[in-house]
Amino acid sequence: MMKIAILGAMPEEITPLLEILKVYEKHDYANNSYYTANYKNHELILAYSKIGKVNSTLSACVMIEKFKAEALLFTGVAGAFNPSLKIGDLLCATKLCQYDLDITAFGHPLGFVPGNEIFIKTDERLNSLALEVAKELGIKLHTGIIATGDEFICDEAKKEKIRSIFKADACEMEGASVALVCEALKVPCFILRAMSDEAGEKAEFDFDEFVVNSAKISANFVLKMCEKL
Ligand code: 3QA
């Protein structure tokens, strides 16, 4: 029996899970809704944070400090940077960074502020469990680096810049902030993303077409992981 948080950013990333769970309680708190449910001997706490690093920081804190989550699984979509990642493919982040955290004016590297590291690691145990689950399901799970920032990337030049500086495989807008909260509060963190677009020109059209399906691929996977925890 564990209290497991499942966090997404957008309704599309969490409502598929609420539909599967069917029975859940809704708790309104801090300008958002949190949902509790039982699943396979575990207590789940689910939420979509709303978009961006600040909203996801708030939700991760609430899930841990108020709802006492003992592990946090993030599920959602991302823009692919690595050409080996195709739309619908799953990526588990081994580490994440904030590509828009910028005090380079003072000679610091992009993504760095004093007292923190550029990269925030996720939980190795959860990541290896995910690889086992993928093997069992017969699906490919990619592992790699995610760059997080408060911008929807749909520009080839921006994409290449972030990709080359951080060797990032994908971009999104919440992962690094959630991982930072989990690391600070010593809660194991897992960040999963299914590709919805390739973050280049016209990414917003791919996103609109593929967000629902890719979000479900990711959501189904984290629920499978709960069965193994
Ligand atoms: C941004 C969502 C935010 O939560 C981050 C999707 C997929 N492709 C991305 C990309 N750059 C950055 N992030 C992503 N999520 C989409 S907002 C759409 C708003 O529609 C990951 C992500 N290329 C709301 C209705 O108007």
Side-chain angles (χ1 to χ4, degrees), residues 102-221:
D102 186 345
I103 56 164
T104 55
F106 297 90
H108 289 297
L110 188 62
F112 176 84
V113 292
N116 283 3
E117 306 278 333
I118 295 179
F119 288 102
I120 306 133
K121 288 193 187 68
T122 51
D123 186 72
E124 280 176 26
R125 210 186 117 248
L126 289 175
N127 295 344
S128 43
L129 179 72
L131 288 167
E132 278 174 37
V133 169
K135 202 172 169 187
E136 267 187 37
L137 297 174
I139 58 172
K140 168 111 183 105
L141 176 63
H142 299 253
T143 55
I145 299 171
I146 286 181
T148 301
D150 283 326
E151 183 177 348
F152 182 83
I153 303 292
C154 48
D155 179 297
E156 214 54 63
K158 283 181 185 169
K159 167 179 169 177
E160 281 317 313
K161 182 186 170 210
I162 300 164
R163 176 166 157 71
S164 68
I165 295 173
F166 299 102
K167 307 277 168 274
D169 297 293
C171 69
E172 35 84 310
M173 302 177 66
E174 298 85 14
S177 41
V178 170
L180 185 143
V181 168
C182 289
E183 189 192 55
L185 298 174
K186 300 190 168 46
V187 168
C189 178
F190 176 70
I191 308 275
L192 184 71
R193 297 276 185 171
M195 301 304 119
S196 57
D197 60 89
E198 292 174 348
E201 321 299 332
K202 306 274 188 304
E204 65 274 36
F205 298 102
D206 280 343
F207 178 86
D208 279 342
E209 187 173 344
F210 299 111
V211 59
V212 167
N213 190 56
S214 293
K216 279 183 187 159
I217 291 172
S218 178
N220 288 334
F221 192 93

